[in-house]
Amino acid sequence: MSTEKRVRLAMSRPMEGACGKTGTWRVFQPVVDRKKCNACGLCAGYCPDAAINDDLVIDLAYCKGCGICANECPKKAITMVREEK
Ligand code: SF4
Ligand code: SF4
């Protein structure tokens, strides 16, 4: 993983909106393979819920499991895994 600090634009942070905590919608959960990840931050930039922070930790209270992060990851480091309810 790169040790360089990524330059980030000002971004919103996840917060409870009219739909509540969107994490309750999730059926598939994104799981990051840190060995494949190069810390480019694209997943965080594309996440519609701003649920991925600067340390690439996913806030599951707001991640709705849309899979956009996994789709956009250039290293294919994110796998969508069905959750056990
Ligand atoms: S887009 Fe993929 S490679 Fe880039 S930071 Fe996210 S998980 Fe890592
Ligand atoms: S699955 Fe969707 S909501 Fe969850 S972290 Fe990825 S892009 Fe964001």
Side-chain angles (χ1 to χ4, degrees):
M1 185 187 301
S2 169
T3 54
E4 281 182 37
K5 188 75 180 166
R6 283 176 286 113
V7 177
R8 297 286 301 275
L9 300 173
M11 296 178 76
S12 59
R13 294 288 171 230
M15 59 183 293
E16 195 162 341
C19 297
K21 291 192 173 181
T22 45
T24 59
W25 301 358
R26 200 176 53 252
V27 176
F28 289 90
Q29 180 179 137
V31 176
V32 180
D33 181 342
R34 299 278 173 172
K35 290 186 196 129
K36 290 184 185 172
C37 172
N38 66 2
C40 66
L42 280 177
C43 53
Y46 277 104
C47 176
D49 293 296
I52 306 176
N53 72 11
D54 286 346
D55 296 321
L56 305 176
V57 174
I58 299 171
D59 185 340
L60 293 177
Y62 295 97
C63 165
K64 61 188 174 215
C66 66
I68 291 173
C69 54
N71 196 52
E72 297 298 333
C73 174
K75 304 294 283 184
K76 300 293 174 215
I78 303 178
T79 305
M80 300 301 294
V81 178
R82 182 178 278 277
E83 292 197 355
E84 304 292 330
K85 298 274 183 187

